[in-house]
Amino acid sequence: NYLDDEQLQRLLKVLQTDANRPVCLIAQFLLATGCRLNEALTAQWSLIDRKNRIWRVSASNSKSGKSRAVPLTDAALNVLDQIGTEGSFEHVFVNAKTGTHYTHIRHTWIRLRNKAGLPWLRLHDLRHTFASMLVNSGQSLYSVQQCLGHADSRVTQRYAHLSSQTLQDAANCASEKIMEAMQGPK
């Protein structure tokens, strides 16, 4: 599943206004980076490089067992600016009641997605939405593969469901060349 524009707006409205700020920020971070939930929940400040806008996911926390660099988007940096744990805690997403990093957010997520009118939305669908946004904005599948940390390009192929406008724009590149050639030399 991935969110269309209207669904994304509904979700973001809830994530920007709900009282449970830490879980809302975790969900926003997932959407802004395309990372997996476990990667976000185990993120450590020592692996965040704001200057180079990179977050290193350690091999021990990555599904592939290999470390990878995740680009930090403006939206991701905005989340990091709001979280308020930098300099005080080792982990990025820390439960204020326990002082330890979050290990699950399932119950709160169910409430948030229902509040947004999206009862079917899984946290992993935020990763799919991120990938779909990249593909629909014209990014290559190779770039999407690198952003998501897929070792095999066949895994990334599932995100190739381009919008009709993206396909039309791509096809029009060839059309423009044909039309120019039909006009002859200038």
Side-chain angles (χ1 to χ4, degrees), residues 99-114:
T100 60
H101 72 89
Y102 281 88
T103 57
H104 67 282
I105 59 171
R106 184 174 178 354
H107 297 295
T108 304
W109 173 248
I110 289 170
R111 183 182 61 76
L112 293 170
R113 72 183 188 189
N114 287 336

Side-chain angles (χ1 to χ4, degrees), residues 79-160:
V79 168
L80 294 176
D81 290 342
Q82 293 179 60
I83 199 66
T85 61
E86 190 170 12
S88 301
F89 294 94
E90 178 184 9
H91 288 90
V92 174
F93 298 105
V94 176
N95 184 323
K97 292 178 184 175
T98 65
T100 60
H101 72 89
Y102 281 88
T103 57
H104 67 282
I105 59 171
R106 184 174 178 354
H107 297 295
T108 304
W109 173 248
I110 289 170
R111 183 182 61 76
L112 293 170
R113 72 183 188 189
N114 287 336
K115 188 175 178 181
L118 304 165
W120 48 266
L121 188 65
R122 303 166 304 156
L123 278 164
H124 199 71
D125 293 333
L126 302 179
R127 180 173 167 84
H128 295 294
T129 298
F130 174 81
S132 296
M133 287 188 286
L134 293 179
V135 171
N136 284 329
S137 68
Q139 298 303 310
S140 71
L141 288 180
Y142 176 78
S143 294
V144 175
Q145 176 185 355
Q146 296 306 304
C147 285
L148 296 177
H150 290 154
D152 187 339
S153 63
R154 289 177 292 185
V155 176
T156 313
Q157 288 292 326
R158 79 177 85 163
Y159 299 108

Side-chain angles (χ1 to χ4, degrees), residues 172-186:
N172 275 336
C173 290
S175 177
E176 289 170 14
K177 292 289 188 189
I178 294 167
M179 297 302 285
E180 285 176 21
M182 288 172 58
Q183 307 252 337
K186 293 180 183 178

Side-chain angles (χ1 to χ4, degrees), residues 19-37:
N20 191 324
R21 299 311 310 139
V23 174
C24 289
L25 290 171
I26 291 168
Q28 288 178 57
F29 192 72
L30 296 174
L31 190 58
T33 61
C35 70
R36 294 176 181 88
L37 178 60

